[in-house]
Amino acid sequence: MRTGDNSNKELWKQYDWQFHQSLIKACGSKNLLAIHDIVYKKYLRYQMQIVTFRGDSAAGEHKKLFEAVLNRDIISAEKILRQHIEEGLKHSLEKFQEYTTIRPF
C-alpha cells in the first residue's frame, strides 16, 4: 500500500482489524469485543470505498500502541489509541470529501 498498490487492500484491513482486536481481546468483555467489531466494520466499509491509507503515521501509532500495551502503560495506550482513531477519522473524512466532491470540467 505504501507504493500505491491497492490490490491487497482487503488483506491489509484484515491485518489491521486483527491487530486492534488482539489488543482488546484480553479484556474479557464480550460486549466490548462486539461493539468494537460493529464499529470497526462500519468504519471499514467507508475506508474500503475510498481506499484510505495513512502509511507511516498509522504504522508508527501501531508500534507505539503495541509497546504501551506490552508495558501495561494504560495512560499512554489510551492517549495513543485516541490519537490513532482521531487521525484515522480525520484522514478518512478528508479523503471521502475529495472522493465525493464534484469538480467542474
Side-chain angles (χ1 to χ4, degrees):
M1 298 282 299
R2 287 181 176 165
T3 63
D5 178 5
N6 297 327
S7 62
N8 288 321
K9 66 182 179 178
E10 290 85 7
L11 184 60
W12 162 62
K13 290 314 298 176
Q14 177 186 344
Y15 289 144
D16 188 57
W17 180 85
Q18 288 174 343
F19 171 76
H20 287 281
Q21 191 72 6
S22 68
L23 291 178
I24 64 170
K25 198 168 192 169
C27 74
S29 170
K30 290 181 182 180
N31 287 336
L32 178 60
L33 293 170
I35 290 168
H36 173 262
D37 189 53
I38 291 166
V39 170
Y40 193 89
K41 285 179 180 172
K42 287 184 182 285
Y43 175 65
L44 177 63
R45 183 175 5 163
Y46 294 104
Q47 267 198 331
M48 295 303 279
Q49 287 293 322
I50 55 177
V51 191
T52 64
F53 181 67
R54 293 191 309 122
D56 291 335
S57 61
E61 292 161 5
H62 278 186
K63 184 175 188 227
K64 289 177 187 175
L65 182 58
F66 182 70
E67 291 169 353
V69 169
L70 285 180
N71 292 324
R72 300 194 185 283
D73 184 349
I74 297 168
I75 293 170
S76 293
E78 181 182 355
K79 181 181 175 183
I80 295 162
L81 182 57
R82 185 177 304 275
Q83 175 190 0
H84 183 62
I85 292 169
E86 289 172 357
E87 292 298 319
L89 285 172
K90 179 181 171 186
H91 177 81
S92 293
L93 288 171
E94 288 171 359
K95 293 298 180 184
F96 185 73
Q97 186 175 17
E98 290 173 17
Y99 181 78
T100 59
T101 301
I102 299 173
R103 296 187 175 107
F105 293 98

